[in-house]
Amino acid sequence: MLAIPKQTDPLITALLGNIDKSNSATVKSKNSISSSAALSTAQKAMPNTRLTWVEPPSNHNAVCRFRFKTKSDPSYRFPHSFVQVNANTGELISVFNIDKMSVASKFKKWLHPPHNGSIGDQPLRILWV
């Protein structure tokens, strides 16, 4: 299911419902706000979560993308919730919170942590070896 999603996603959809996809916004770069201001907007959109990744805006796209770990997200290293903030204005563009997505989406997000041993800590890693 991780390696061939085009072939397996229809099966997941048939059994569990639609799979939600996060979007990638594009905003033309102008004057950027501070990173801390963008982070403040993102944290308000995802309270009680842990920030794990920050993707700063580029010369071609004025979008700050923040990745957050929610309490129920199985992946500590690569959590599945994202917030996008306009780096020109500080406005919230989008929120993709895995906790609020479909059962099919949650199922897909649970595939990777057992695969790479990032869930279950040391006992699971020993079992995999």
Side-chain angles (χ1 to χ4, degrees):
M1 289 181 184
L2 290 171
I4 53 172
K6 287 182 182 177
Q7 292 79 5
T8 58
D9 281 0
L11 176 64
I12 294 170
T13 300
L15 294 172
L16 301 173
N18 289 330
I19 299 168
D20 303 297
K21 307 248 189 259
S22 63
N23 66 345
S24 292
T26 303
V27 175
K28 188 174 180 179
S29 295
K30 294 180 188 172
N31 298 326
S32 290
I33 62 167
S34 70
S35 297
S36 60
L39 177 58
S40 177
T41 299
Q43 288 176 317
K44 288 176 187 170
M46 292 288 296
N48 304 315
T49 59
R50 182 176 59 87
L51 177 67
T52 59
W53 290 82
V54 175
E55 295 174 33
S58 69
N59 292 336
H60 306 290
N61 190 8
V63 174
C64 295
R65 189 170 184 201
F66 301 92
R67 187 184 286 223
F68 290 93
K69 179 178 183 327
T70 65
K71 290 179 183 169
S72 65
D73 194 319
S75 181
Y76 287 92
R77 200 163 162 216
F78 300 106
H80 301 97
S81 294
F82 299 91
V83 175
Q84 294 183 107
V85 176
N86 183 323
N88 296 324
T89 64
E91 292 178 57
L92 182 66
I93 296 172
S94 68
V95 177
F96 185 84
N97 184 340
I98 191 61
D99 293 349
K100 297 181 179 176
M101 297 301 142
S102 68
V103 172
S105 297
K106 291 177 185 176
F107 174 78
K108 287 259 319 188
K109 302 308 179 193
W110 270 90
L111 292 176
H112 198 256
H115 166 75
N116 70 6
S118 64
I119 193 168
D121 296 322
Q122 197 68 16
L124 184 61
R125 291 184 190 119
I126 291 169
L127 176 65
W128 276 179
V129 171

Coordinates of all heavy atoms in Angstrom, one line a residue, residues 40-125:
S40 N 3.2 31.7 15.1 CA 2.1 32.0 16.0 C 0.8 31.7 15.4 O -0.1 31.2 16.0 CB 2.2 33.5 16.4 OG 1.2 33.9 17.3
T41 N 0.6 32.1 14.1 CA -0.6 31.9 13.4 C -0.9 30.4 13.3 O -2.0 29.9 13.5 CB -0.6 32.5 12.0 OG1 -0.5 33.9 12.1 CG2 -1.8 32.2 11.2
A42 N 0.2 29.6 13.0 CA 0.1 28.2 12.8 C -0.3 27.5 14.1 O -1.1 26.6 14.2 CB 1.4 27.6 12.2
Q43 N 0.4 27.9 15.2 CA 0.1 27.3 16.5 C -1.3 27.6 17.0 O -1.9 26.7 17.6 CB 1.1 27.8 17.5 CG 2.5 27.2 17.3 CD 3.5 27.7 18.2 OE1 3.6 28.9 18.5 NE2 4.4 26.8 18.7
K44 N -1.9 28.7 16.6 CA -3.3 29.0 17.0 C -4.2 28.1 16.2 O -5.3 27.7 16.8 CB -3.6 30.4 16.7 CG -3.0 31.4 17.7 CD -3.3 32.9 17.3 CE -2.5 33.8 18.1 NZ -2.6 35.2 17.7
A45 N -3.8 27.7 15.0 CA -4.7 26.8 14.2 C -4.5 25.3 14.7 O -5.5 24.5 14.5 CB -4.3 26.9 12.8
M46 N -3.5 25.0 15.4 CA -3.2 23.6 15.9 C -2.8 23.6 17.3 O -1.7 23.3 17.7 CB -2.1 22.9 15.0 CG -2.5 22.6 13.6 SD -3.7 21.3 13.4 CE -2.7 19.9 14.0
P47 N -3.7 24.0 18.2 CA -3.3 24.1 19.6 C -3.1 22.7 20.2 O -3.6 21.7 19.7 CB -4.5 24.8 20.3 CG -5.7 24.5 19.4 CD -5.1 24.4 18.0
N48 N -2.4 22.6 21.3 CA -2.1 21.3 22.0 C -1.5 20.3 21.1 O -1.8 19.1 21.2 CB -3.4 20.8 22.6 CG -4.1 21.8 23.5 OD1 -3.4 22.4 24.3 ND2 -5.4 21.9 23.3
T49 N -0.6 20.7 20.2 CA 0.2 19.8 19.3 C 1.7 20.2 19.5 O 2.0 21.2 20.1 CB -0.2 20.0 17.9 OG1 0.0 21.4 17.5 CG2 -1.7 19.6 17.7
R50 N 2.5 19.4 18.9 CA 4.0 19.6 19.0 C 4.5 19.9 17.6 O 4.3 19.1 16.6 CB 4.7 18.3 19.5 CG 6.2 18.5 19.6 CD 6.8 17.2 20.3 NE 6.6 16.0 19.5 CZ 7.4 15.6 18.5 NH1 8.4 16.3 18.1 NH2 7.1 14.5 17.9
L51 N 5.2 21.0 17.4 CA 5.8 21.4 16.2 C 6.9 20.5 15.9 O 7.8 20.2 16.7 CB 6.3 22.9 16.2 CG 7.0 23.4 15.0 CD1 6.0 23.5 13.8 CD2 7.6 24.7 15.3
T52 N 7.0 19.9 14.6 CA 8.1 19.0 14.3 C 8.9 19.5 13.1 O 10.1 19.1 13.0 CB 7.5 17.6 14.0 OG1 6.6 17.7 12.9 CG2 6.9 17.0 15.2
W53 N 8.3 20.2 12.2 CA 9.0 20.6 11.0 C 8.6 22.0 10.6 O 7.4 22.4 10.8 CB 8.7 19.7 9.8 CG 9.2 18.4 9.8 CD1 8.7 17.3 10.4 CD2 10.4 17.9 9.1 NE1 9.4 16.2 10.2 CE2 10.5 16.5 9.4 CE3 11.4 18.5 8.3 CZ2 11.5 15.7 8.9 CZ3 12.4 17.7 7.9 CH2 12.5 16.3 8.2
V54 N 9.5 22.8 10.1 CA 9.2 24.1 9.5 C 9.8 24.2 8.1 O 10.9 23.9 7.9 CB 9.8 25.2 10.4 CG1 9.6 26.6 9.8 CG2 9.3 25.2 11.8
E55 N 8.9 24.5 7.2 CA 9.3 24.7 5.8 C 9.2 26.2 5.5 O 8.1 26.7 5.4 CB 8.5 23.9 4.8 CG 8.7 22.4 5.0 CD 7.7 21.6 4.2 OE1 7.4 22.0 3.0 OE2 7.3 20.5 4.6
P56 N 10.3 26.9 5.5 CA 10.2 28.4 5.3 C 9.8 28.7 3.9 O 9.9 27.9 3.0 CB 11.6 28.8 5.6 CG 12.5 27.6 5.3 CD 11.7 26.4 5.6
P57 N 9.4 29.9 3.7 CA 9.0 30.4 2.3 C 10.3 30.4 1.4 O 11.4 30.5 1.9 CB 8.5 31.8 2.5 CG 9.0 32.2 3.8 CD 9.2 31.0 4.6
S58 N 10.1 30.3 0.1 CA 11.2 30.4 -0.8 C 11.1 31.6 -1.6 O 10.1 32.4 -1.4 CB 11.1 29.1 -1.8 OG 10.0 29.3 -2.6
N59 N 12.0 31.9 -2.5 CA 11.9 33.0 -3.4 C 10.8 33.0 -4.3 O 10.3 34.0 -4.8 CB 13.2 33.2 -4.2 CG 14.4 33.5 -3.3 OD1 14.3 34.0 -2.2 ND2 15.6 33.1 -3.8
H60 N 10.3 31.8 -4.6 CA 9.2 31.6 -5.6 C 7.8 31.3 -4.9 O 6.8 31.3 -5.6 CB 9.6 30.4 -6.5 CG 10.9 30.6 -7.1 ND1 11.1 31.5 -8.1 CD2 12.1 29.9 -6.9 CE1 12.4 31.4 -8.5 NE2 13.0 30.5 -7.8
N61 N 7.8 31.1 -3.6 CA 6.5 30.7 -3.0 C 6.6 31.3 -1.6 O 7.3 30.8 -0.7 CB 6.3 29.2 -3.0 CG 4.9 28.9 -2.6 OD1 4.0 29.7 -2.4 ND2 4.7 27.6 -2.4
A62 N 5.7 32.2 -1.3 CA 5.7 32.9 0.0 C 4.7 32.1 1.0 O 3.8 32.7 1.5 CB 5.2 34.3 -0.1
V63 N 4.9 30.8 1.1 CA 4.1 30.0 2.0 C 5.0 29.4 3.0 O 6.0 28.7 2.7 CB 3.3 29.0 1.3 CG1 2.6 28.0 2.2 CG2 2.3 29.6 0.3
C64 N 4.7 29.6 4.3 CA 5.4 28.8 5.4 C 4.5 27.6 5.7 O 3.3 27.7 5.8 CB 5.4 29.7 6.7 SG 6.5 31.1 6.6
R65 N 5.1 26.5 5.7 CA 4.4 25.2 6.0 C 5.0 24.6 7.3 O 6.2 24.5 7.4 CB 4.6 24.3 4.9 CG 3.6 23.1 5.0 CD 3.6 22.3 3.7 NE 2.7 21.2 3.8 CZ 2.7 20.1 3.1 NH1 3.6 19.9 2.2 NH2 1.8 19.2 3.3
F66 N 4.1 24.4 8.2 CA 4.4 23.8 9.5 C 3.8 22.4 9.7 O 2.6 22.3 9.4 CB 3.9 24.7 10.6 CG 4.5 26.1 10.6 CD1 3.8 27.1 9.9 CD2 5.7 26.5 11.1 CE1 4.3 28.4 9.8 CE2 6.2 27.7 11.1 CZ 5.5 28.7 10.4
R67 N 4.6 21.5 10.2 CA 4.1 20.1 10.4 C 4.0 19.9 11.9 O 4.9 20.3 12.7 CB 5.1 19.1 9.8 CG 4.5 17.7 9.9 CD 5.6 16.7 9.4 NE 5.7 16.8 7.9 CZ 5.8 15.7 7.2 NH1 5.8 14.5 7.7 NH2 6.0 15.8 5.9
F68 N 2.8 19.4 12.4 CA 2.6 19.3 13.8 C 2.2 17.8 14.1 O 1.6 17.1 13.3 CB 1.4 20.1 14.2 CG 1.7 21.6 14.2 CD1 1.4 22.4 13.1 CD2 2.2 22.2 15.3 CE1 1.6 23.7 13.1 CE2 2.5 23.6 15.4 CZ 2.2 24.3 14.2
K69 N 2.6 17.4 15.3 CA 2.2 16.0 15.8 C 1.0 16.2 16.7 O 1.1 16.9 17.7 CB 3.3 15.3 16.5 CG 2.8 14.0 16.9 CD 3.7 13.1 17.6 CE 3.2 11.8 18.0 NZ 1.8 11.7 18.4
T70 N -0.1 15.5 16.4 CA -1.2 15.5 17.3 C -1.1 14.3 18.3 O -0.2 13.5 18.0 CB -2.5 15.4 16.6 OG1 -2.6 14.2 15.9 CG2 -2.7 16.5 15.6
K71 N -1.9 14.3 19.3 CA -1.7 13.2 20.3 C -2.0 11.8 19.7 O -1.5 10.8 20.1 CB -2.7 13.5 21.5 CG -2.2 14.6 22.3 CD -3.1 14.9 23.5 CE -2.6 16.1 24.2 NZ -3.6 16.6 25.2
S72 N -2.9 11.8 18.7 CA -3.3 10.5 18.1 C -2.5 10.1 16.9 O -2.7 9.0 16.3 CB -4.8 10.5 17.8 OG -5.1 11.4 16.8
D73 N -1.6 11.0 16.4 CA -0.9 10.7 15.2 C 0.2 9.6 15.6 O 0.9 9.8 16.5 CB -0.2 12.0 14.7 CG 0.4 11.8 13.3 OD1 0.9 10.8 13.0 OD2 0.2 12.8 12.5
P74 N 0.3 8.6 14.8 CA 1.2 7.5 15.1 C 2.7 7.8 14.9 O 3.5 7.1 15.4 CB 0.7 6.3 14.2 CG 0.1 7.0 13.0 CD -0.5 8.3 13.6
S75 N 2.9 8.8 14.1 CA 4.3 9.1 13.7 C 4.9 10.2 14.4 O 4.4 11.3 14.3 CB 4.4 9.3 12.2 OG 5.7 9.6 11.8
Y76 N 6.0 10.0 15.2 CA 6.7 11.0 15.9 C 7.6 11.8 15.0 O 7.8 13.0 15.1 CB 7.5 10.5 17.1 CG 6.6 10.0 18.2 CD1 6.2 8.7 18.3 CD2 6.2 10.9 19.2 CE1 5.4 8.3 19.3 CE2 5.4 10.5 20.2 CZ 5.0 9.2 20.3 OH 4.2 8.8 21.3
R77 N 8.2 11.1 14.0 CA 9.2 11.7 13.2 C 8.6 12.4 12.0 O 9.1 13.5 11.6 CB 10.1 10.6 12.7 CG 11.4 11.1 12.2 CD 12.4 10.0 12.1 NE 13.5 10.5 11.2 CZ 14.1 9.7 10.3 NH1 13.8 8.5 10.2 NH2 15.0 10.2 9.6
F78 N 7.5 11.9 11.4 CA 6.9 12.5 10.2 C 5.4 12.6 10.5 O 4.6 11.8 9.8 CB 7.2 11.7 9.0 CG 8.6 11.6 8.7 CD1 9.3 10.4 8.9 CD2 9.3 12.7 8.2 CE1 10.7 10.3 8.6 CE2 10.7 12.6 7.9 CZ 11.4 11.4 8.1
P79 N 4.9 13.4 11.4 CA 3.5 13.5 11.6 C 2.7 14.0 10.4 O 3.3 14.6 9.5 CB 3.4 14.4 12.8 CG 4.7 15.1 12.9 CD 5.7 14.3 12.2
H80 N 1.4 13.9 10.4 CA 0.6 14.0 9.2 C -0.3 15.3 9.3 O -1.2 15.4 8.4 CB -0.2 12.8 9.0 CG 0.6 11.6 8.8 ND1 0.9 10.7 9.9 CD2 1.3 11.1 7.8 CE1 1.7 9.7 9.4 NE2 1.9 10.0 8.2
S81 N -0.1 16.2 10.1 CA -0.9 17.4 10.2 C -0.1 18.6 9.8 O 1.1 18.7 10.2 CB -1.5 17.6 11.6 OG -2.3 16.6 11.9
F82 N -0.6 19.4 8.9 CA 0.1 20.6 8.3 C -0.7 21.8 8.4 O -2.0 21.8 8.4 CB 0.3 20.3 6.8 CG 1.1 19.1 6.5 CD1 0.5 17.9 6.3 CD2 2.5 19.2 6.4 CE1 1.3 16.8 6.0 CE2 3.3 18.1 6.1 CZ 2.6 16.9 5.9
V83 N 0.0 23.0 8.6 CA -0.6 24.3 8.5 C 0.2 25.1 7.5 O 1.4 25.1 7.6 CB -0.6 25.0 9.9 CG1 -1.2 26.4 9.8 CG2 -1.5 24.2 10.9
Q84 N -0.5 25.8 6.7 CA 0.1 26.7 5.7 C -0.2 28.1 6.0 O -1.4 28.4 6.3 CB -0.3 26.4 4.3 CG 0.2 25.0 3.8 CD -0.1 24.7 2.4 OE1 0.8 24.7 1.6 NE2 -1.3 24.4 2.1
V85 N 0.8 29.0 6.1 CA 0.6 30.4 6.4 C 1.2 31.3 5.3 O 2.3 31.0 4.9 CB 1.2 30.8 7.8 CG1 1.1 32.2 8.1 CG2 0.6 29.9 8.9
N86 N 0.5 32.3 4.9 CA 0.9 33.3 3.9 C 2.1 34.1 4.6 O 1.8 34.8 5.5 CB -0.2 34.2 3.5 CG 0.2 35.1 2.4 OD1 1.3 35.6 2.3 ND2 -0.7 35.4 1.5
A87 N 3.3 34.0 4.0 CA 4.4 34.7 4.6 C 4.4 36.2 4.3 O 5.2 36.9 4.9 CB 5.7 34.0 4.1
N88 N 3.6 36.6 3.4 CA 3.4 38.0 3.1 C 2.5 38.7 4.1 O 2.8 39.9 4.5 CB 2.9 38.3 1.7 CG 3.8 37.8 0.6 OD1 5.0 37.9 0.7 ND2 3.2 37.3 -0.5
T89 N 1.5 38.1 4.5 CA 0.4 38.7 5.3 C 0.3 38.1 6.7 O -0.3 38.7 7.5 CB -0.9 38.6 4.6 OG1 -1.3 37.2 4.5 CG2 -0.9 39.3 3.2
G90 N 0.7 36.9 6.9 CA 0.5 36.2 8.1 C -0.8 35.5 8.2 O -1.2 34.9 9.2
E91 N -1.6 35.5 7.1 CA -2.9 34.9 7.1 C -2.8 33.4 7.0 O -1.9 32.9 6.3 CB -3.8 35.4 6.0 CG -4.2 36.9 6.1 CD -4.9 37.3 4.9 OE1 -6.0 36.7 4.6 OE2 -4.5 38.3 4.3
L92 N -3.7 32.7 7.7 CA -3.8 31.3 7.6 C -4.4 30.9 6.2 O -5.4 31.4 5.8 CB -4.8 30.8 8.7 CG -5.0 29.3 8.8 CD1 -3.7 28.6 9.3 CD2 -6.1 29.0 9.8
I93 N -3.7 30.0 5.5 CA -4.1 29.5 4.2 C -4.9 28.2 4.3 O -6.0 28.1 3.8 CB -2.9 29.3 3.3 CG1 -2.2 30.6 3.0 CG2 -3.3 28.6 2.0 CD1 -0.8 30.4 2.3
S94 N -4.3 27.2 5.1 CA -5.0 26.0 5.2 C -4.5 25.2 6.4 O -3.4 25.4 6.9 CB -4.8 25.1 3.9 OG -3.5 24.7 3.8
V95 N -5.4 24.3 6.8 CA -5.1 23.4 8.0 C -5.5 22.0 7.5 O -6.6 21.8 7.0 CB -5.9 23.8 9.2 CG1 -5.6 22.8 10.3 CG2 -5.6 25.2 9.7
F96 N -4.5 21.1 7.7 CA -4.8 19.6 7.4 C -4.5 18.9 8.7 O -3.4 18.7 9.1 CB -3.9 19.1 6.3 CG -4.2 17.7 5.9 CD1 -5.2 17.4 5.0 CD2 -3.5 16.6 6.4 CE1 -5.5 16.1 4.6 CE2 -3.8 15.3 6.1 CZ -4.8 15.1 5.2
N97 N -5.6 18.6 9.5 CA -5.4 18.0 10.8 C -5.9 16.5 10.6 O -7.0 16.2 10.4 CB -6.3 18.7 11.8 CG -6.2 18.2 13.2 OD1 -5.7 17.0 13.4 ND2 -6.6 18.9 14.2
I98 N -4.9 15.6 10.7 CA -5.2 14.2 10.5 C -6.3 13.7 11.5 O -7.1 12.8 11.1 CB -3.9 13.3 10.6 CG1 -4.2 11.9 10.1 CG2 -3.4 13.3 12.0 CD1 -4.6 11.8 8.7
D99 N -6.4 14.3 12.7 CA -7.4 13.8 13.6 C -8.8 14.1 13.1 O -9.8 13.5 13.5 CB -7.3 14.6 14.9 CG -6.0 14.1 15.7 OD1 -5.3 13.2 15.2 OD2 -5.6 14.8 16.6
K100 N -9.0 15.0 12.2 CA -10.3 15.4 11.7 C -10.6 14.8 10.3 O -11.5 15.2 9.6 CB -10.5 16.9 11.7 CG -10.4 17.5 13.1 CD -10.5 19.0 13.1 CE -10.5 19.4 14.6 NZ -10.6 20.8 14.7
M101 N -9.7 13.9 9.8 CA -9.9 13.4 8.5 C -10.6 12.1 8.5 O -10.9 11.5 9.5 CB -8.5 13.2 7.8 CG -7.7 14.5 7.6 SD -8.7 15.6 6.6 CE -8.3 17.2 7.4
S102 N -10.9 11.5 7.3 CA -11.7 10.3 7.2 C -10.9 9.1 7.8 O -9.7 9.1 8.0 CB -12.0 10.1 5.7 OG -10.8 9.7 5.0
V103 N -11.7 8.0 8.0 CA -11.1 6.8 8.5 C -10.1 6.3 7.5 O -9.0 5.8 7.9 CB -12.3 5.7 8.7 CG1 -11.7 4.4 9.0 CG2 -13.2 6.2 9.8
A104 N -10.4 6.4 6.2 CA -9.4 5.9 5.2 C -8.1 6.7 5.3 O -7.0 6.1 5.1 CB -10.1 6.1 3.8
S105 N -8.2 8.0 5.5 CA -7.0 8.8 5.6 C -6.2 8.4 6.8 O -4.9 8.2 6.8 CB -7.3 10.3 5.7 OG -8.0 10.7 4.6
K106 N -6.8 8.1 7.9 CA -6.1 7.7 9.1 C -5.5 6.4 9.0 O -4.4 6.1 9.4 CB -7.1 7.7 10.3 CG -7.5 9.1 10.7 CD -8.6 9.0 11.9 CE -9.1 10.4 12.2 NZ -10.1 10.5 13.2
F107 N -6.2 5.4 8.3 CA -5.6 4.1 8.0 C -4.4 4.3 7.2 O -3.3 3.6 7.5 CB -6.7 3.3 7.2 CG -6.1 1.9 6.8 CD1 -6.0 0.9 7.7 CD2 -5.7 1.8 5.5 CE1 -5.5 -0.3 7.3 CE2 -5.2 0.5 5.0 CZ -5.1 -0.5 5.9
K108 N -4.4 5.1 6.1 CA -3.2 5.3 5.3 C -2.0 5.8 6.1 O -0.9 5.4 5.9 CB -3.5 6.2 4.1 CG -4.3 5.6 3.1 CD -3.6 5.2 1.8 CE -2.5 6.1 1.3 NZ -2.0 5.7 0.1
K109 N -2.3 6.7 7.0 CA -1.3 7.4 7.8 C -0.7 6.4 8.8 O 0.4 6.6 9.3 CB -1.8 8.6 8.5 CG -2.3 9.7 7.6 CD -1.4 10.0 6.5 CE -1.9 11.1 5.6 NZ -1.2 11.3 4.4
W110 N -1.4 5.3 9.2 CA -0.9 4.3 10.1 C 0.0 3.3 9.4 O 0.6 2.5 10.1 CB -2.1 3.6 10.8 CG -2.5 4.3 12.1 CD1 -3.4 5.3 12.2 CD2 -1.9 4.1 13.4 NE1 -3.5 5.7 13.5 CE2 -2.6 5.0 14.3 CE3 -1.0 3.2 13.9 CZ2 -2.3 5.0 15.6 CZ3 -0.7 3.3 15.3 CH2 -1.3 4.2 16.1
L111 N 0.0 3.3 8.1 CA 0.9 2.3 7.4 C 2.4 2.5 7.6 O 3.1 1.5 7.8 CB 0.5 2.3 5.9 CG -0.8 1.8 5.5 CD1 -1.0 2.0 4.0 CD2 -1.1 0.4 5.9
H112 N 2.8 3.7 7.6 CA 4.2 4.0 7.6 C 4.9 3.7 8.9 O 6.0 3.1 8.9 CB 4.5 5.4 7.1 CG 5.9 5.6 6.7 ND1 6.8 6.3 7.5 CD2 6.6 5.2 5.6 CE1 8.0 6.3 6.9 NE2 7.9 5.7 5.7
P113 N 4.4 4.2 10.1 CA 5.1 4.0 11.3 C 5.4 2.5 11.7 O 6.5 2.2 12.1 CB 4.2 4.6 12.4 CG 3.4 5.6 11.6 CD 3.2 5.0 10.3
P114 N 4.5 1.5 11.4 CA 4.9 0.1 11.7 C 5.9 -0.3 10.6 O 6.8 -1.1 11.0 CB 3.6 -0.7 11.5 CG 2.5 0.3 11.7 CD 3.1 1.6 11.2
H115 N 5.8 0.2 9.4 CA 6.8 -0.2 8.4 C 8.2 0.2 8.7 O 9.1 -0.6 8.5 CB 6.3 0.5 7.1 CG 7.4 0.5 6.0 ND1 7.6 -0.7 5.3 CD2 8.2 1.4 5.5 CE1 8.6 -0.4 4.4 NE2 9.0 0.8 4.5
N116 N 8.4 1.4 9.3 CA 9.8 1.8 9.5 C 10.2 1.7 11.0 O 11.2 2.0 11.4 CB 10.0 3.3 9.1 CG 9.3 4.3 9.9 OD1 8.6 4.0 10.9 ND2 9.3 5.5 9.4
G117 N 9.3 1.1 11.8 CA 9.6 0.8 13.2 C 9.6 2.1 14.1 O 10.1 2.0 15.2
S118 N 9.0 3.2 13.7 CA 9.0 4.4 14.5 C 7.8 4.4 15.5 O 7.7 5.3 16.3 CB 8.8 5.6 13.6 OG 7.6 5.6 12.9
I119 N 7.0 3.3 15.5 CA 6.0 3.2 16.6 C 6.3 1.9 17.3 O 6.9 1.0 16.8 CB 4.6 3.1 15.9 CG1 3.6 3.3 17.0 CG2 4.4 1.9 15.2 CD1 2.2 3.6 16.5
G120 N 6.1 1.9 18.6 CA 6.4 0.7 19.4 C 7.8 0.7 20.0 O 8.1 -0.2 20.7
D121 N 8.5 1.8 19.7 CA 9.8 1.9 20.3 C 10.7 0.7 20.1 O 10.6 0.0 19.1 CB 9.7 2.3 21.8 CG 9.1 3.7 21.9 OD1 9.3 4.6 21.1 OD2 8.3 3.8 22.9
Q122 N 11.6 0.5 21.0 CA 12.6 -0.6 20.9 C 12.0 -2.0 20.7 O 12.5 -2.7 19.9 CB 13.6 -0.5 22.1 CG 14.9 -1.2 21.9 CD 15.8 -0.6 20.8 OE1 15.6 0.6 20.5 NE2 16.7 -1.3 20.3
P123 N 11.0 -2.4 21.5 CA 10.5 -3.7 21.3 C 10.0 -4.0 19.9 O 10.3 -5.1 19.4 CB 9.3 -3.8 22.3 CG 9.6 -2.8 23.3 CD 10.4 -1.7 22.6
L124 N 9.4 -3.1 19.2 CA 8.9 -3.3 17.8 C 10.2 -3.4 16.9 O 10.2 -4.2 16.0 CB 8.0 -2.3 17.4 CG 7.4 -2.5 16.0 CD1 6.6 -3.8 15.9 CD2 6.5 -1.3 15.6
R125 N 11.1 -2.6 17.1 CA 12.3 -2.6 16.3 C 13.1 -3.9 16.4 O 13.5 -4.5 15.4 CB 13.3 -1.4 16.6 CG 12.7 -0.1 16.2 CD 13.6 1.0 16.5 NE 12.9 2.3 16.3 CZ 12.7 3.2 17.3 NH1 13.3 3.0 18.4 NH2 12.0 4.3 17.0

